[in-house]
Amino acid sequence: MNEGNFSFELVAAAHELKAPLSLMRQLALLLEDDSLTLRERQLYAERLRLTSERGLRLTSDLTSAHRAASSLFPLEPINPLYFCKDIADEYRPLCMARGAQIRVARVRTAPAIIANRDLLRRVLVNFIDNALKYNESIKILQLHIGQSKKSVVRIGVREYGGEKMPKRQSNLLPAADSTAASSGLGLFLAGEFARNMQAKIGSRAHRQGGSTYYIDVPISKQLMLL
Amino acid sequence: MNKSFAAAIIIEDDPWMREVLEVAVRRCGLKAVGVASGEDAIYAIDDTAPKIILADVLLLHTTIFTLLNELQSHQDLAQLPVILCSGISERLPDDVCRRYGIVEVLDKATMTPNGIMAAIKRHLHAEVIA
């Protein structure tokens, strides 16, 4: 994120954070009600935790994006299949709370990629967060890995059962360096992270409904030992 | 009027925030009908003939004003009270609100369940509230 844009990004970030913070406050107020059943109490407490984690991810992404302007992120060979499985395991509770399943598509071979583990994780988690936030009819989120070109592996997050991609998000992709809209800041940051790994994000809407957000990551030239 | 049929439409694209609003509506003795978009709201309005609308401003594909503009063009719906629950309440001028039938704007950052209930009760005729 360049310095000139920083104050604008700050305003966009403040706006983006307002939604999870407002929701957390409302959930906390609901929890004050003595008449709640134990099940309701557990449900609201879980939502409170998951919403706070979404807000924290955003703040963490913002600090990383700011840091990315002045420092280099070390790249390393990564097995994309194991990487995606780890993410799916980690975000299964969030998806379940939103009524969706998350899984990794079967793949015969998955060439090693060269990326920064932390940034790649942030990009994919942003795709998951955005899908869950903006499309509540999603039933399945599928992480899939494919080789889009000789030198590039595409890792995508495909929504099943959802609506077509909202226009205001598709406007941010694939040229995620335009401007950060009042929503979709996560995608804007994902674009920043991708650039720091010589990767590129994009999206495509599917005729049968739903859409895929993807990142094209360079293939590692090293032999995969992982 | 049969009180059990009095409904409120809640238009909010975040399902968990929508549920928060639905709880407040039900505590007023109204039937809560939650939808995520203005388009779904049109069908819900036709189906339930609501007595009041609670809505967020920034929705998935559009803003609430697209729907409110449509409602203003129908004689039977133009007087339907609308309460906005928004994170950008400070940016909504009074004259714009009046033009679209908005009777009250609640700030999502400061509103409370009791505050939401009080707002609903302020703008409904007494016989509608259970």
Side-chain angles (χ1 to χ4, degrees), chain A residues 180-217:
Chain A
S182 59
S183 62
L185 183 66
L187 290 178
F188 171 80
L189 294 173
E192 295 283 316
F193 296 147
R195 250 199 306 279
N196 279 279
M197 300 185 287
Q198 289 80 52
K200 202 173 150 189
I201 66 168
S203 66
R204 59 182 289 243
H206 299 283
R207 220 178 291 168
Q208 61 270 43
S211 46
T212 296
Y213 296 83
Y214 60 80
I215 179 166
D216 286 340
V217 193

mmCIF file of all heavy atoms in Angstrom, chain A residues 180-217:
data_model
loop_
_atom_site.group_PDB
_atom_site.id
_atom_site.type_symbol
_atom_site.label_atom_id
_atom_site.label_comp_id
_atom_site.label_asym_id
_atom_site.label_seq_id
_atom_site.Cartn_x
_atom_site.Cartn_y
_atom_site.Cartn_z
ATOM 1 N N ALA A 180 -10.282 0.944 -3.373
ATOM 2 C CA ALA A 180 -10.985 0.103 -2.417
ATOM 3 C C ALA A 180 -12.389 0.642 -2.261
ATOM 4 O O ALA A 180 -12.585 1.794 -1.909
ATOM 5 C CB ALA A 180 -10.267 0.127 -1.085
ATOM 6 N N ALA A 181 -13.354 -0.184 -2.553
ATOM 7 C CA ALA A 181 -14.741 0.256 -2.402
ATOM 8 C C ALA A 181 -15.107 0.231 -0.931
ATOM 9 O O ALA A 181 -14.339 -0.228 -0.088
ATOM 10 C CB ALA A 181 -15.657 -0.671 -3.178
ATOM 11 N N SER A 182 -16.307 0.703 -0.626
ATOM 12 C CA SER A 182 -16.711 0.726 0.777
ATOM 13 C C SER A 182 -16.845 -0.692 1.305
ATOM 14 O O SER A 182 -16.787 -0.920 2.488
ATOM 15 C CB SER A 182 -18.032 1.470 0.925
ATOM 16 O OG SER A 182 -19.005 0.827 0.146
ATOM 17 N N SER A 183 -17.054 -1.648 0.400
ATOM 18 C CA SER A 183 -16.986 -3.034 0.816
ATOM 19 C C SER A 183 -15.965 -3.707 -0.089
ATOM 20 O O SER A 183 -15.484 -3.148 -1.047
ATOM 21 C CB SER A 183 -18.345 -3.695 0.655
ATOM 22 O OG SER A 183 -18.706 -3.681 -0.693
ATOM 23 N N GLY A 184 -15.618 -4.934 0.250
ATOM 24 C CA GLY A 184 -14.659 -5.636 -0.580
ATOM 25 C C GLY A 184 -13.234 -5.174 -0.342
ATOM 26 O O GLY A 184 -12.363 -5.417 -1.180
ATOM 27 N N LEU A 185 -12.995 -4.534 0.787
ATOM 28 C CA LEU A 185 -11.627 -4.124 1.096
ATOM 29 C C LEU A 185 -10.731 -5.345 1.198
ATOM 30 O O LEU A 185 -9.556 -5.298 0.846
ATOM 31 C CB LEU A 185 -11.596 -3.323 2.407
ATOM 32 C CG LEU A 185 -10.230 -2.770 2.814
ATOM 33 C CD1 LEU A 185 -9.749 -1.728 1.825
ATOM 34 C CD2 LEU A 185 -10.277 -2.189 4.214
ATOM 35 N N GLY A 186 -11.296 -6.442 1.666
ATOM 36 C CA GLY A 186 -10.535 -7.680 1.780
ATOM 37 C C GLY A 186 -9.969 -8.107 0.442
ATOM 38 O O GLY A 186 -8.819 -8.536 0.354
ATOM 39 N N LEU A 187 -10.755 -7.959 -0.615
ATOM 40 C CA LEU A 187 -10.285 -8.329 -1.948
ATOM 41 C C LEU A 187 -9.194 -7.380 -2.429
ATOM 42 O O LEU A 187 -8.246 -7.793 -3.089
ATOM 43 C CB LEU A 187 -11.446 -8.332 -2.945
ATOM 44 C CG LEU A 187 -12.476 -9.436 -2.778
ATOM 45 C CD1 LEU A 187 -13.591 -9.277 -3.800
ATOM 46 C CD2 LEU A 187 -11.834 -10.799 -2.916
ATOM 47 N N PHE A 188 -9.367 -6.141 -2.099
ATOM 48 C CA PHE A 188 -8.336 -5.154 -2.453
ATOM 49 C C PHE A 188 -7.010 -5.534 -1.800
ATOM 50 O O PHE A 188 -5.956 -5.546 -2.443
ATOM 51 C CB PHE A 188 -8.793 -3.761 -1.993
ATOM 52 C CG PHE A 188 -7.732 -2.713 -2.122
ATOM 53 C CD1 PHE A 188 -7.473 -2.125 -3.358
ATOM 54 C CD2 PHE A 188 -6.986 -2.312 -1.027
ATOM 55 C CE1 PHE A 188 -6.488 -1.159 -3.478
ATOM 56 C CE2 PHE A 188 -5.998 -1.351 -1.142
ATOM 57 C CZ PHE A 188 -5.746 -0.770 -2.373
ATOM 58 N N LEU A 189 -7.080 -5.879 -0.506
ATOM 59 C CA LEU A 189 -5.863 -6.276 0.208
ATOM 60 C C LEU A 189 -5.301 -7.576 -0.362
ATOM 61 O O LEU A 189 -4.081 -7.724 -0.482
ATOM 62 C CB LEU A 189 -6.158 -6.440 1.702
ATOM 63 C CG LEU A 189 -6.543 -5.148 2.441
ATOM 64 C CD1 LEU A 189 -6.983 -5.458 3.859
ATOM 65 C CD2 LEU A 189 -5.383 -4.169 2.452
ATOM 66 N N ALA A 190 -6.187 -8.482 -0.739
ATOM 67 C CA ALA A 190 -5.731 -9.747 -1.332
ATOM 68 C C ALA A 190 -4.917 -9.464 -2.599
ATOM 69 O O ALA A 190 -3.895 -10.109 -2.851
ATOM 70 C CB ALA A 190 -6.928 -10.640 -1.657
ATOM 71 N N GLY A 191 -5.364 -8.478 -3.382
ATOM 72 C CA GLY A 191 -4.635 -8.088 -4.588
ATOM 73 C C GLY A 191 -3.246 -7.558 -4.255
ATOM 74 O O GLY A 191 -2.259 -7.846 -4.944
ATOM 75 N N GLU A 192 -3.180 -6.772 -3.162
ATOM 76 C CA GLU A 192 -1.884 -6.246 -2.716
ATOM 77 C C GLU A 192 -0.945 -7.378 -2.320
ATOM 78 O O GLU A 192 0.235 -7.385 -2.669
ATOM 79 C CB GLU A 192 -2.094 -5.320 -1.509
ATOM 80 C CG GLU A 192 -2.887 -4.059 -1.794
ATOM 81 C CD GLU A 192 -2.057 -3.022 -2.511
ATOM 82 O OE1 GLU A 192 -0.898 -2.823 -2.114
ATOM 83 O OE2 GLU A 192 -2.565 -2.424 -3.488
ATOM 84 N N PHE A 193 -1.495 -8.333 -1.577
ATOM 85 C CA PHE A 193 -0.671 -9.463 -1.118
ATOM 86 C C PHE A 193 -0.178 -10.290 -2.303
ATOM 87 O O PHE A 193 0.963 -10.730 -2.334
ATOM 88 C CB PHE A 193 -1.464 -10.365 -0.167
ATOM 89 C CG PHE A 193 -1.879 -9.688 1.111
ATOM 90 C CD1 PHE A 193 -3.063 -10.023 1.741
ATOM 91 C CD2 PHE A 193 -1.079 -8.715 1.688
ATOM 92 C CE1 PHE A 193 -3.444 -9.391 2.909
ATOM 93 C CE2 PHE A 193 -1.452 -8.076 2.864
ATOM 94 C CZ PHE A 193 -2.645 -8.420 3.471
ATOM 95 N N ALA A 194 -1.076 -10.503 -3.260
ATOM 96 C CA ALA A 194 -0.700 -11.300 -4.433
ATOM 97 C C ALA A 194 0.458 -10.647 -5.172
ATOM 98 O O ALA A 194 1.409 -11.309 -5.575
ATOM 99 C CB ALA A 194 -1.917 -11.460 -5.350
ATOM 100 N N ARG A 195 0.376 -9.332 -5.317
ATOM 101 C CA ARG A 195 1.436 -8.627 -6.045
ATOM 102 C C ARG A 195 2.795 -8.817 -5.383
ATOM 103 O O ARG A 195 3.821 -8.886 -6.052
ATOM 104 C CB ARG A 195 1.099 -7.136 -6.127
ATOM 105 C CG ARG A 195 0.740 -6.704 -7.542
ATOM 106 C CD ARG A 195 0.867 -5.207 -7.718
ATOM 107 N NE ARG A 195 0.084 -4.495 -6.721
ATOM 108 C CZ ARG A 195 -1.228 -4.296 -6.819
ATOM 109 N NH1 ARG A 195 -1.888 -4.777 -7.849
ATOM 110 N NH2 ARG A 195 -1.882 -3.629 -5.900
ATOM 111 N N ASN A 196 2.782 -8.885 -4.049
ATOM 112 C CA ASN A 196 4.038 -9.066 -3.325
ATOM 113 C C ASN A 196 4.644 -10.453 -3.527
ATOM 114 O O ASN A 196 5.752 -10.717 -3.079
ATOM 115 C CB ASN A 196 3.830 -8.809 -1.833
ATOM 116 C CG ASN A 196 3.853 -7.329 -1.528
ATOM 117 O OD1 ASN A 196 4.903 -6.725 -1.401
ATOM 118 N ND2 ASN A 196 2.671 -6.725 -1.458
ATOM 119 N N MET A 197 3.861 -11.351 -4.133
ATOM 120 C CA MET A 197 4.388 -12.703 -4.393
ATOM 121 C C MET A 197 4.498 -12.945 -5.892
ATOM 122 O O MET A 197 4.595 -14.085 -6.322
ATOM 123 C CB MET A 197 3.434 -13.756 -3.801
ATOM 124 C CG MET A 197 3.240 -13.649 -2.306
ATOM 125 S SD MET A 197 2.240 -15.007 -1.675
ATOM 126 C CE MET A 197 0.607 -14.550 -2.258
ATOM 127 N N GLN A 198 4.451 -11.881 -6.682
ATOM 128 C CA GLN A 198 4.421 -12.006 -8.150
ATOM 129 C C GLN A 198 3.256 -12.893 -8.593
ATOM 130 O O GLN A 198 3.340 -13.629 -9.583
ATOM 131 C CB GLN A 198 5.743 -12.574 -8.706
ATOM 132 C CG GLN A 198 6.920 -11.618 -8.630
ATOM 133 C CD GLN A 198 7.526 -11.591 -7.246
ATOM 134 O OE1 GLN A 198 7.849 -12.627 -6.692
ATOM 135 N NE2 GLN A 198 7.668 -10.397 -6.673
ATOM 136 N N ALA A 199 2.189 -12.862 -7.826
ATOM 137 C CA ALA A 199 0.985 -13.620 -8.165
ATOM 138 C C ALA A 199 -0.112 -12.630 -8.564
ATOM 139 O O ALA A 199 0.084 -11.413 -8.499
ATOM 140 C CB ALA A 199 0.532 -14.458 -6.978
ATOM 141 N N LYS A 200 -1.237 -13.171 -8.981
ATOM 142 C CA LYS A 200 -2.298 -12.307 -9.492
ATOM 143 C C LYS A 200 -3.646 -12.905 -9.069
ATOM 144 O O LYS A 200 -3.827 -14.126 -9.154
ATOM 145 C CB LYS A 200 -2.202 -12.305 -11.018
ATOM 146 C CG LYS A 200 -2.835 -11.138 -11.706
ATOM 147 C CD LYS A 200 -2.480 -11.220 -13.180
ATOM 148 C CE LYS A 200 -3.560 -10.602 -14.027
ATOM 149 N NZ LYS A 200 -3.374 -10.843 -15.449
ATOM 150 N N ILE A 201 -4.572 -12.066 -8.642
ATOM 151 C CA ILE A 201 -5.890 -12.596 -8.301
ATOM 152 C C ILE A 201 -6.893 -12.269 -9.404
ATOM 153 O O ILE A 201 -6.681 -11.348 -10.198
ATOM 154 C CB ILE A 201 -6.413 -12.067 -6.936
ATOM 155 C CG1 ILE A 201 -6.666 -10.565 -6.978
ATOM 156 C CG2 ILE A 201 -5.471 -12.426 -5.807
ATOM 157 C CD1 ILE A 201 -7.446 -10.065 -5.776
ATOM 158 N N GLY A 202 -7.965 -13.021 -9.417
ATOM 159 C CA GLY A 202 -9.006 -12.782 -10.404
ATOM 160 C C GLY A 202 -10.279 -13.484 -9.984
ATOM 161 O O GLY A 202 -10.347 -14.081 -8.901
ATOM 162 N N SER A 203 -11.263 -13.416 -10.837
ATOM 163 C CA SER A 203 -12.533 -14.055 -10.507
ATOM 164 C C SER A 203 -13.280 -14.393 -11.778
ATOM 165 O O SER A 203 -12.999 -13.819 -12.834
ATOM 166 C CB SER A 203 -13.395 -13.115 -9.666
ATOM 167 O OG SER A 203 -13.761 -12.003 -10.447
ATOM 168 N N ARG A 204 -14.153 -15.333 -11.679
ATOM 169 C CA ARG A 204 -15.063 -15.587 -12.798
ATOM 170 C C ARG A 204 -16.418 -16.035 -12.266
ATOM 171 O O ARG A 204 -16.509 -16.749 -11.258
ATOM 172 C CB ARG A 204 -14.487 -16.615 -13.775
ATOM 173 C CG ARG A 204 -14.158 -17.964 -13.197
ATOM 174 C CD ARG A 204 -13.543 -18.847 -14.278
ATOM 175 N NE ARG A 204 -14.546 -19.233 -15.255
ATOM 176 C CZ ARG A 204 -14.930 -20.495 -15.466
ATOM 177 N NH1 ARG A 204 -14.392 -21.469 -14.761
ATOM 178 N NH2 ARG A 204 -15.832 -20.795 -16.358
ATOM 179 N N ALA A 205 -17.451 -15.524 -12.932
ATOM 180 C CA ALA A 205 -18.811 -15.915 -12.551
ATOM 181 C C ALA A 205 -19.186 -17.149 -13.361
ATOM 182 O O ALA A 205 -18.737 -17.301 -14.494
ATOM 183 C CB ALA A 205 -19.775 -14.783 -12.857
ATOM 184 N N HIS A 206 -19.961 -18.023 -12.758
ATOM 185 C CA HIS A 206 -20.366 -19.243 -13.453
ATOM 186 C C HIS A 206 -21.812 -19.121 -13.913
ATOM 187 O O HIS A 206 -22.655 -18.605 -13.169
ATOM 188 C CB HIS A 206 -20.198 -20.449 -12.533
ATOM 189 C CG HIS A 206 -18.781 -20.653 -12.109
ATOM 190 N ND1 HIS A 206 -17.827 -21.206 -12.921
ATOM 191 C CD2 HIS A 206 -18.134 -20.322 -10.956
ATOM 192 C CE1 HIS A 206 -16.668 -21.232 -12.299
ATOM 193 N NE2 HIS A 206 -16.827 -20.696 -11.107
ATOM 194 N N ARG A 207 -22.052 -19.592 -15.133
ATOM 195 C CA ARG A 207 -23.383 -19.458 -15.712
ATOM 196 C C ARG A 207 -24.436 -20.132 -14.839
ATOM 197 O O ARG A 207 -25.547 -19.660 -14.692
ATOM 198 C CB ARG A 207 -23.387 -20.076 -17.120
ATOM 199 C CG ARG A 207 -24.175 -19.264 -18.101
ATOM 200 C CD ARG A 207 -24.115 -19.874 -19.474
ATOM 201 N NE ARG A 207 -22.781 -19.782 -20.069
ATOM 202 C CZ ARG A 207 -22.410 -20.440 -21.161
ATOM 203 N NH1 ARG A 207 -23.252 -21.248 -21.753
ATOM 204 N NH2 ARG A 207 -21.206 -20.312 -21.668
ATOM 205 N N GLN A 208 -24.052 -21.245 -14.236
ATOM 206 C CA GLN A 208 -25.012 -21.997 -13.422
ATOM 207 C C GLN A 208 -25.151 -21.432 -12.009
ATOM 208 O O GLN A 208 -25.837 -22.021 -11.176
ATOM 209 C CB GLN A 208 -24.641 -23.483 -13.394
ATOM 210 C CG GLN A 208 -23.289 -23.788 -12.810
ATOM 211 C CD GLN A 208 -22.176 -23.777 -13.855
ATOM 212 O OE1 GLN A 208 -22.130 -22.897 -14.697
ATOM 213 N NE2 GLN A 208 -21.281 -24.738 -13.787
ATOM 214 N N GLY A 209 -24.526 -20.318 -11.749
ATOM 215 C CA GLY A 209 -24.613 -19.686 -10.429
ATOM 216 C C GLY A 209 -23.314 -19.817 -9.660
ATOM 217 O O GLY A 209 -22.526 -20.725 -9.902
ATOM 218 N N GLY A 210 -23.109 -18.902 -8.734
ATOM 219 C CA GLY A 210 -21.880 -18.927 -7.957
ATOM 220 C C GLY A 210 -20.708 -18.366 -8.746
ATOM 221 O O GLY A 210 -20.847 -18.003 -9.923
ATOM 222 N N SER A 211 -19.583 -18.258 -8.100
ATOM 223 C CA SER A 211 -18.405 -17.713 -8.767
ATOM 224 C C SER A 211 -17.145 -18.293 -8.143
ATOM 225 O O SER A 211 -17.202 -18.950 -7.103
ATOM 226 C CB SER A 211 -18.402 -16.187 -8.646
ATOM 227 O OG SER A 211 -18.696 -15.798 -7.334
ATOM 228 N N THR A 212 -16.042 -18.056 -8.812
ATOM 229 C CA THR A 212 -14.751 -18.511 -8.291
ATOM 230 C C THR A 212 -13.828 -17.313 -8.159
ATOM 231 O O THR A 212 -13.719 -16.503 -9.076
ATOM 232 C CB THR A 212 -14.100 -19.531 -9.262
ATOM 233 O OG1 THR A 212 -14.916 -20.687 -9.334
ATOM 234 C CG2 THR A 212 -12.712 -19.933 -8.783
ATOM 235 N N TYR A 213 -13.207 -17.208 -7.010
ATOM 236 C CA TYR A 213 -12.148 -16.230 -6.802
ATOM 237 C C TYR A 213 -10.847 -17.023 -6.808
ATOM 238 O O TYR A 213 -10.756 -18.055 -6.156
ATOM 239 C CB TYR A 213 -12.308 -15.531 -5.454
ATOM 240 C CG TYR A 213 -13.568 -14.717 -5.349
ATOM 241 C CD1 TYR A 213 -14.772 -15.318 -5.024
ATOM 242 C CD2 TYR A 213 -13.545 -13.351 -5.584
ATOM 243 C CE1 TYR A 213 -15.941 -14.580 -4.938
ATOM 244 C CE2 TYR A 213 -14.703 -12.601 -5.497
ATOM 245 C CZ TYR A 213 -15.895 -13.213 -5.176
ATOM 246 O OH TYR A 213 -17.049 -12.490 -5.104
ATOM 247 N N TYR A 214 -9.877 -16.560 -7.555
ATOM 248 C CA TYR A 214 -8.664 -17.368 -7.653
ATOM 249 C C TYR A 214 -7.407 -16.521 -7.552
ATOM 250 O O TYR A 214 -7.429 -15.298 -7.712
ATOM 251 C CB TYR A 214 -8.653 -18.166 -8.965
ATOM 252 C CG TYR A 214 -8.695 -17.304 -10.213
ATOM 253 C CD1 TYR A 214 -7.551 -16.691 -10.712
ATOM 254 C CD2 TYR A 214 -9.898 -17.096 -10.882
ATOM 255 C CE1 TYR A 214 -7.599 -15.895 -11.845
ATOM 256 C CE2 TYR A 214 -9.949 -16.309 -12.024
ATOM 257 C CZ TYR A 214 -8.795 -15.706 -12.496
ATOM 258 O OH TYR A 214 -8.857 -14.903 -13.610
ATOM 259 N N ILE A 215 -6.333 -17.236 -7.275
ATOM 260 C CA ILE A 215 -5.011 -16.611 -7.313
ATOM 261 C C ILE A 215 -4.117 -17.482 -8.192
ATOM 262 O O ILE A 215 -4.113 -18.710 -8.054
ATOM 263 C CB ILE A 215 -4.417 -16.416 -5.897
ATOM 264 C CG1 ILE A 215 -3.015 -15.789 -6.002
ATOM 265 C CG2 ILE A 215 -4.405 -17.719 -5.083
ATOM 266 C CD1 ILE A 215 -2.480 -15.257 -4.678
ATOM 267 N N ASP A 216 -3.428 -16.844 -9.124
ATOM 268 C CA ASP A 216 -2.460 -17.544 -9.966
ATOM 269 C C ASP A 216 -1.079 -17.346 -9.354
ATOM 270 O O ASP A 216 -0.599 -16.211 -9.231
ATOM 271 C CB ASP A 216 -2.485 -16.972 -11.393
ATOM 272 C CG ASP A 216 -3.728 -17.409 -12.151
ATOM 273 O OD1 ASP A 216 -4.346 -18.415 -11.749
ATOM 274 O OD2 ASP A 216 -4.087 -16.741 -13.146
ATOM 275 N N VAL A 217 -0.473 -18.458 -8.957
ATOM 276 C CA VAL A 217 0.804 -18.395 -8.236
ATOM 277 C C VAL A 217 1.879 -19.075 -9.080
ATOM 278 O O VAL A 217 1.624 -20.148 -9.655
ATOM 279 C CB VAL A 217 0.691 -19.130 -6.875
ATOM 280 C CG1 VAL A 217 1.876 -18.819 -5.996
ATOM 281 C CG2 VAL A 217 -0.604 -18.764 -6.178
#
